[in-house]
């Protein structure tokens, strides 16, 4: 990490919080940022290759999907955007099916749909489930409210 950013940024020493243990998020983030950079350069096939690698590390990565899917849509690559969305959506849907009381899974599925502009009606049920499972979580409530507003404006 320090090779990319140096040992500190804005006075925060990364060595204070990163202990050097293997973490699957770090390689995933590298490929996500590569994919995002390739998209900015118009290199669609390279971006999709990086996204596939990212999904191998973290198949339920809503962060990657929320950045790449709207950008692919904007660039006119609907099919490729759908492929990424469906892969992450399927993983999270299966996760929620296996662990129906996992509030984070329901929230991630709802947030994925909200940020990618897909399946918002189905996402509403997952947002409601997340809030029901963790009623004091402000993030879950905010996602539910955003989905309700989006559906009301249709």
């Amino acid at each position: 990490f320090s090779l990319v950013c140096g040992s500190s940024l804005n006075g925060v020493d990364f060595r204070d919080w990163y202990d050097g243990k293997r973490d699957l998020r770090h390689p995933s983030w590298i490929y996500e940022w590569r994919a995002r950079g390739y998209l900015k350069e118009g290199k669609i096939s390279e971006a999709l290759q990086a996204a596939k690698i990212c999904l191998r590390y973290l198949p339920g990565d809503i962060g990657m999907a929320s950045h790449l899917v709207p950008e692919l849509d904007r660039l006119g690559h609907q099919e490729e955007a759908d492929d990424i969305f469906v892969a992450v959506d399927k993983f999270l849907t299966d996760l929620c099916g296996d662990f129906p009381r996992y509030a984070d899974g329901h929230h991630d599925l709802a947030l994925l749909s909200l940020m990618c502009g897909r399946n918002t009606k189905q996402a509403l049920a997952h947002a409601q489930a997340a809030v029901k499972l963790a009623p004091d979580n402000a993030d879950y409530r905010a996602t539910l409210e955003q989905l309700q507003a989006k559906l009301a404006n249709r």
Side-chain angles (χ1 to χ4, degrees):
F1 199 82
S2 63
L3 292 175
V4 177
C5 298
S7 63
S8 69
L9 179 65
N10 295 332
V12 176
D13 190 338
F14 296 118
R15 293 170 291 193
D16 290 342
W17 60 268
Y18 179 67
D19 62 8
K21 293 179 182 173
R22 290 186 58 91
D23 186 338
L24 291 178
R25 293 175 297 180
H26 297 145
S28 176
W29 291 337
I30 290 168
Y31 285 101
E32 176 188 338
W33 281 95
R34 283 183 182 173
R36 291 169 73 177
Y38 285 137
L39 282 181
K40 285 187 187 272
E41 295 172 356
K43 298 178 179 178
I44 305 301
S45 63
E46 290 91 339
L48 295 173
Q49 282 299 107
K52 285 180 186 177
I53 295 169
C54 184
L55 286 172
R56 279 190 231 140
Y57 282 105
L58 293 174
D61 187 0
I62 64 170
M64 181 273 299
S66 71
H67 287 106
L68 298 186
V69 170
E71 185 64 13
L72 284 165
D73 282 340
R74 189 185 70 74
L75 294 171
H77 292 272
Q78 178 87 32
E79 185 177 334
E80 292 87 347
D82 287 344
D83 289 345
I84 292 171
F85 176 82
V86 166
V88 177
D89 182 73
K90 181 184 180 336
F91 178 85
L92 293 172
T93 299
D94 291 349
L95 182 69
C96 289
D98 291 343
F99 303 97
R101 297 194 44 79
Y102 182 49
D104 282 345
H106 289 289
H107 177 254
D108 284 353
L109 194 49
L111 193 57
L112 170 73
S113 294
L114 178 65
M115 293 190 301
C116 294
R118 288 165 166 75
N119 296 348
T120 50
K121 287 183 183 178
Q122 291 173 325
L124 183 62
H126 287 285
Q128 290 168 334
V131 169
K132 184 177 180 183
L133 292 165
D136 294 332
N137 189 305
D139 289 336
Y140 297 175
R141 288 187 170 281
T143 299
L144 175 59
E145 290 171 7
Q146 290 175 23
L147 278 165
Q148 289 169 332
K150 187 169 190 164
L151 289 169
N153 288 332
R154 283 190 170 183

